[in-house]
Amino acid sequence: SITSLACNVKSSSSLSFCTDCCWRASFFLPSFLLLTCSLAFFSFFPSDEGEIGYYTRRGGVGEDFVTSPEISQIFGELIGIWYISEWMAMGKQNAFQLVELGPGTGTLTDDILRVFNQLASLLSKCDVSIHLVEVSPKLSAIQAEMLTGGKVQSNPENKSAYMKGISKTGIPIYWYRDIQDVPQGYSFYLAHEFLDALPIHKFQRTEKGWHEVLVDLDPEVPDQLRFVLSPSRTPATENFIQPEETRDHVEVCPEAGVLIQRLACRIEKDGGAALIADYGHDGTKTDTFRGFRNHKLHDVLKAPGTADLTADVDFSYLRKMAEGRTATLGPIKQREFLKNMGIDLRLQVLLQNSRDSATHEQLLHSFDMLMNPKKMGDCFHFFALLPHHRVVHPTKKDNPQSKSPLPPVAGFSELSLT
């Protein structure tokens, strides 16, 4: 399968390939000493304590990194407004699902729900439900506490959702372990700082062609890992390098590609939209793989399983993976998207309502974190998947009776105050 990992297993002094999903079996291997593996494989290694999966075990948010929703409530509020804006532009369907992938602590969903509640009169005839895709028991418990006050129940009668509850504002919430478990239907999808955490493959162009970057045990330093090039082409090299690639070093995230294909198929069939926010590039960057621990850069090869491993999202790759099933917008820089969504106006309202200098300063500080080009403003980007009919205007030749132009997609065009 596309998520099968290219892994070399050391046998004496030679290397041989294991092309099935060997990362699952790797959990039963006693140490790294047996393996030379891809970065995708390496990302799934357990910690020294034997606990499997960084996000399943630690969660990361607040411990090793901070995300935009934790910095300012304005961020989540504007995301909530974006979904309502698109729901209205697409005809105000009588029901929609909001599906968030990797909801973290639940702060972003909580901010969005607050907006939905404040605009309850607008949504009064719409049946809204929340669907969270979360594999971490630790984070799902934190989300449940924030969103429902801890009033949730396991859901054995529903084989897809493992937990359900009601938000503090009365909206049903369901938890799933995989996007494929989420029911089909008209849905709005949200992936904020989700794709960057998925495992990648790295490739290097050489005089002999493309070779995959692997992780190996350094023979000269005990218990030390190192990067090496595969001695020959791996299955990942054969499948993931695009023929038109011009860069000499490439990072590919097959799981992100599969996810985009699934979202595009769902949107094409059922309608809705997907909004993706992450740090990334449009097919220009090369080596971005890095680790974070305790809010500092961390050597990715040290203490496997204890740090947040991340790589910039290649939005040009996501666009290709949509395969024309949906229209795509972006990537657009976070500071431009938020400005187009009216963050300046929202900040002024909050500043006018702030009653003390500490709150005033915090609002200005958080605004600077989100918008400053040297902080989050330029490194984070927004990208959207939308039905073609949402952005393609029928020409008068095709439809002489066409009505007024479709409203622009919020965030991706300049804010008009007229």
Side-chain angles (χ1 to χ4, degrees):
S1 69
I2 198 167
T3 55
S4 296
L5 308 175
C7 171
N8 292 330
V9 180
K10 241 177 208 181
S11 175
S12 299
S13 59
S14 63
L15 298 174
S16 60
F17 288 117
C18 170
T19 56
D20 59 5
C21 292
C22 54
W23 66 267
R24 297 183 186 274
S26 75
F27 298 145
F28 301 100
L29 296 173
S31 70
F32 283 113
L33 301 178
L34 297 175
L35 298 171
T36 298
C37 63
S38 69
L39 291 186
F41 184 12
F42 175 72
S43 298
F44 283 103
F45 263 107
S47 65
D48 290 341
E49 292 79 19
E51 294 175 297
I52 300 169
Y54 168 79
Y55 288 98
T56 301
R57 181 175 55 86
R58 285 176 64 108
V61 181
E63 297 178 359
D64 296 319
F65 57 89
V66 176
T67 62
S68 295
E70 273 73 38
I71 291 173
S72 173
Q73 70 179 71
I74 304 177
F75 184 87
E77 291 172 347
L78 296 180
I79 299 300
I81 291 172
W82 189 88
Y83 284 113
I84 290 182
S85 173
E86 283 308 298
W87 169 73
M88 294 174 64
M90 294 185 197
K92 297 183 180 179
Q93 297 286 323
N94 59 12
F96 72 79
Q97 301 179 149
L98 176 63
V99 183
E100 184 176 3
L101 309 175
T105 62
T107 301
L108 182 51
T109 301
D110 192 48
D111 290 338
I112 292 173
L113 284 173
R114 185 171 62 254
V115 170
F116 287 1
N117 188 55
Q118 292 170 347
L119 299 176
S121 59
L122 193 62
L123 295 168
S124 61
K125 296 182 180 180
C126 182
D127 183 14
V128 179
S129 57
I130 305 297
H131 304 260
L132 305 179
V133 179
E134 180 58 72
V135 299
S136 168
K138 177 180 179 180
L139 285 177
S140 62
I142 294 173
Q143 295 154 14
E145 182 62 35
M146 171 167 286
L147 300 174
T148 73
K151 298 178 181 179
V152 294
Q153 63 185 78
S154 58
N155 206 25
E157 73 276 7
N158 186 332
K159 294 183 179 180
S160 57
Y162 64 84
M163 189 166 67
K164 65 179 181 180
I166 302 293
S167 77
K168 298 172 184 177
T169 55
I171 293 178
I173 305 177
Y174 302 88
W175 278 262
Y176 310 83
R177 292 186 176 87
D178 191 282
I179 182 65
Q180 296 190 88
D181 294 331
V182 178
Q184 297 279 345
Y186 186 78
S187 303
F188 291 105
Y189 301 92
L190 173 59
H192 176 258
E193 289 200 51
F194 178 74
L195 299 184
D196 68 271
L198 298 179
I200 64 164
H201 290 267
K202 287 172 72 72
F203 306 95
Q204 179 70 47
R205 192 198 302 269
T206 72
E207 294 179 353
K208 297 181 180 180
W210 286 101
H211 291 262
E212 186 168 5
V213 177
L214 307 174
V215 177
D216 188 21
L217 187 68
D218 191 333
E220 298 181 0
V221 183
D223 299 325
Q224 177 65 48
L225 300 174
R226 64 173 182 172
F227 290 118
V228 296
L229 291 180
S230 61
S232 59
R233 293 176 67 87
T234 64
T237 310
E238 300 286 350
N239 288 286
F240 301 145
I241 296 294
Q242 302 295 321
E244 66 274 17
E245 183 58 65
T246 60
R247 289 169 290 176
D248 291 331
H249 191 102
V250 179
E251 296 169 336
V252 179
C253 181
E255 286 194 36
V258 171
L259 175 63
I260 292 301
Q261 289 175 335
R262 288 172 177 163
L263 293 182
C265 287
R266 281 174 170 246
I267 293 170
E268 181 184 40
K269 177 183 177 182
D270 301 319
L275 186 64
I276 297 166
D278 226 313
Y279 45 82
H281 58 91
D282 204 13
T284 57
K285 292 186 178 181
T286 55
D287 184 14
T288 70
F289 184 56
R290 58 203 181 277
F292 288 96
R293 187 176 183 184
N294 297 325
H295 304 279
K296 296 180 181 179
L297 281 171
H298 175 81
D299 187 337
V300 296
L301 296 180
K302 291 184 178 180
T306 65
D308 169 37
L309 302 183
T310 180
D312 284 14
V313 175
D314 185 344
F315 291 105
S316 69
Y317 175 67
L318 303 189
R319 192 180 299 113
K320 291 175 183 175
M321 291 301 101
E323 298 177 327
R325 294 181 181 274
T326 64
T328 60
L329 292 180
I332 182 174
K333 294 176 181 178
Q334 175 170 289
R335 62 182 173 89
E336 296 174 358
F337 179 88
L338 296 179
K339 184 176 181 63
N340 293 340
M341 287 299 301
I343 190 172
D344 298 287
L345 297 175
R346 181 57 178 156
L347 175 65
Q348 292 305 315
V349 171
L350 292 176
L351 288 174
Q352 291 172 7
N353 293 334
S354 63
R355 301 180 181 276
D356 57 82
S357 58
T359 302
H360 193 276
E361 290 300 317
Q362 176 58 34
L363 287 169
L364 292 175
H365 173 73
S366 60
F367 177 85
D368 182 66
M369 283 291 294
L370 293 177
M371 300 293 286
N372 192 321
K374 295 182 180 180
K375 296 178 182 177
M376 296 176 129
D378 276 5
C379 61
F380 284 85
H381 294 76
F382 281 77
F383 181 83
L385 302 177
L386 297 144
H388 286 291
H389 65 75
R390 173 65 183 90
V391 296
V392 178
H393 299 275
T395 64
K396 290 186 177 181
K397 180 179 179 181
D398 295 331
N399 185 5
Q401 305 301 319
S402 62
K403 299 180 180 179
S404 59
L406 291 170
V409 178
F412 292 89
S413 56
E414 292 187 13
L415 177 65
S416 174
L417 300 179
T418 58

